[in-house]
Amino acid sequence: MNQINWTILIIFTAITLIGLMIGIQLKTKLKSEKLKVGFGYFLGAIGIVIASKEINQFINF
């Protein structure tokens, strides 16, 4: 039977709520176009990191 790790759940929830509050504040100060561009760069960076890890594993296989 699976048990819930309450410590991780509480930490994750707290970080999520903090991010939500920061996002609400930034929403009023930044234009939506800048947020979209910034999010696009963020996704691109995450994609590069994941791709580089996968390529590294493939090469070292």
Side-chain angles (χ1 to χ4, degrees), residues 51-61:
S52 66
K53 286 184 178 182
E54 292 296 322
I55 291 169
N56 189 29
Q57 285 180 352
F58 181 72
I59 290 172
N60 292 330
F61 182 69

Side-chain angles (χ1 to χ4, degrees), residues 1-31:
M1 183 173 190
N2 294 335
Q3 293 186 3
I4 296 174
N5 188 336
W6 288 102
T7 304
I8 292 176
L9 182 62
I10 290 170
I11 291 170
F12 181 79
T13 303
I15 291 171
T16 302
L17 291 174
I18 291 169
L20 178 66
M21 288 185 238
I22 292 171
I24 289 171
Q25 294 299 317
L26 287 177
K27 177 184 159 192
T28 61
K29 296 179 182 174
L30 295 176
K31 293 181 181 180

Side-chain angles (χ1 to χ4, degrees), residues 33-48:
E33 285 301 314
K34 287 188 178 186
L35 287 174
K36 288 178 185 178
V37 170
F39 187 67
Y41 282 124
F42 174 73
L43 288 180
I46 295 297
I48 290 170

